Amino acid sequence: MRIITDSSSDLTPELIERFKVDLVIPMKISIDGKEYLDKVDIQDEPFYHKILPACQSLPKTSQVTANEFCEIFSRYPDEELVVLPISSGLSGTYSAALVAREMLGRKDIYVVDNKATALALALMVQIACEKRDAGLSAREVAEQVEALSGRVRVYALVETLRYLVLGGRLSKAAGLVGSALNLKPIITLKGGVLSAVGKARGTRAAVKLLRELVDANERIDTNYPVYYGHAFNDEGIALLQQAFPEYPTKAPVLTVGCIVGTHTGPKVTAISFISEVEA
């Protein structure tokens, strides 16, 4: 059995090795008409510190194509594959993987719409790898991960409204007002779709509200890992970890990469977990 994901998972080389992930497919990002492979041609730190602040329009991300999936799947002609792409609610990558499976006429490829991306996708990949290591078949791994897809969550604090405005999620007027008031939006990934769930003035108040929203709407299932993520915001992620003292710093902390960071902007901070509550 091979486990395959894409680079929106933001898995570190160390975690890829530890979990024995067989392949991480680089997604593509276009900046000023030039295309880059995520984590191959472009790295997170220069993206956030140099490229993104200078953008007048957002970089464009693009899905892995069906033909690309065909080439990848054909590398493993005699092995079962469990494929964990970015959520179908955020990208056409999942659909492209299904098309490729049909083009090849294979029944041994299990494509899971795990409703996740970034640190949440990393969490789901870890769960899949642990189930593989426990001796489950590829079909069983896919079924059990898919069963969790309605329960995977991300709660994130966005430090600036600029990229929500550039992406068309907020009007320019709302962005100017929000910036003047130092409003920090809180967004969530639930059911594979991002949505805004609150805002507060200042980072500390926003972190407090984020914890309150989690407590009001979720019950964290402690049978599964908890992940943190941020975009070069050590102070922000420390505040978020302090808000969840029952999950110490041994929980993995990932950098939210270019694919998701295009839309959330620099200094985003986030927590991901499996909820006992279905979406």
Side-chain angles (χ1 to χ4, degrees):
M1 179 199 317
R2 302 281 186 169
I3 291 181
I4 296 172
T5 188
D6 62 56
S7 66
S8 77
S9 63
D10 294 325
L11 285 162
T12 64
E14 293 77 17
L15 290 178
I16 292 168
E17 181 178 1
R18 185 195 308 174
F19 300 152
K20 298 181 176 64
V21 181
D22 294 284
L23 182 64
V24 178
I25 306 169
M27 295 189 73
K28 296 182 285 291
I29 183 167
S30 178
I31 302 169
D32 297 329
K34 184 176 180 180
E35 191 170 81
Y36 302 85
L37 290 176
D38 181 31
K39 296 176 175 55
V40 177
D41 303 324
I42 187 169
Q43 303 300 322
D44 296 332
E45 188 165 7
F47 175 77
Y48 281 115
H49 290 160
K50 296 179 180 179
I51 296 170
L52 198 55
C55 288
Q56 297 304 310
S57 60
L58 278 183
K60 298 184 184 301
T61 57
S62 57
Q63 68 189 57
V64 183
T65 67
N67 285 336
E68 288 169 332
F69 271 121
C70 280
E71 187 277 324
I72 290 164
F73 295 164
S74 296
R75 299 178 196 175
Y76 312 101
D78 302 314
E79 296 177 83
E80 292 186 312
L81 307 178
V82 177
V83 186
L84 302 172
I86 184 173
S87 169
S88 66
L90 302 173
S91 170
T93 299
Y94 168 74
S95 296
L98 292 180
V99 170
R101 182 179 66 184
E102 293 305 310
M103 290 169 65
L104 295 172
R106 289 179 59 174
K107 305 297 184 185
D108 57 352
I109 299 174
Y110 302 91
V111 184
V112 183
D113 188 5
N114 54 93
K115 311 292 187 186
T117 191
L119 59 159
L121 182 50
L123 187 160
M124 296 294 260
V125 170
Q126 177 179 348
I127 291 170
C129 292
E130 289 175 346
K131 292 183 180 298
R132 173 205 60 201
D133 295 344
L136 274 65
S137 68
R139 180 186 295 275
E140 290 169 332
V141 170
E143 289 174 347
Q144 293 199 20
V145 173
E146 188 166 5
L148 293 173
S149 64
R151 294 165 50 196
V152 65
R153 301 285 190 272
V154 174
Y155 279 76
L157 168 60
V158 180
E159 284 288 310
T160 174
L161 299 176
R162 179 171 185 252
Y163 303 98
L164 294 171
V165 171
L166 286 174
R169 301 295 179 90
L170 282 177
S171 69
K172 289 185 179 180
L176 288 171
V177 170
S179 298
L181 296 175
N182 193 28
L183 291 178
K184 308 295 184 184
I186 297 165
I187 60 176
T188 184
L189 178 70
K190 182 182 294 190
V193 178
L194 285 169
S195 58
V197 291
K199 56 183 179 293
R201 186 178 299 179
T203 300
R204 291 183 179 275
V207 169
K208 181 175 182 290
L209 177 58
L210 187 154
R211 176 70 208 232
E212 291 170 354
L213 288 167
V214 170
D215 289 342
N217 295 288
E218 315 290 352
R219 293 190 302 274
I220 298 177
D221 190 333
T222 55
N223 292 307
Y224 297 98
V226 168
Y227 272 67
Y228 293 100
H230 68 111
F232 299 96
N233 188 353
D234 292 337
E235 181 181 358
I237 200 63
L239 289 172
L240 188 59
Q241 288 173 313
Q242 290 166 18
F244 291 87
E246 64 270 47
Y247 303 107
T249 53
K250 66 180 181 181
V253 180
L254 302 183
T255 299
V256 178
C258 305
I259 301 301
V260 173
T262 290
H263 306 284
T264 56
K267 294 193 173 182
V268 61
T269 54
I271 184 172
S272 179
F273 53 86
I274 301 294
S275 178
E276 295 181 2
V277 181
E278 286 283 347

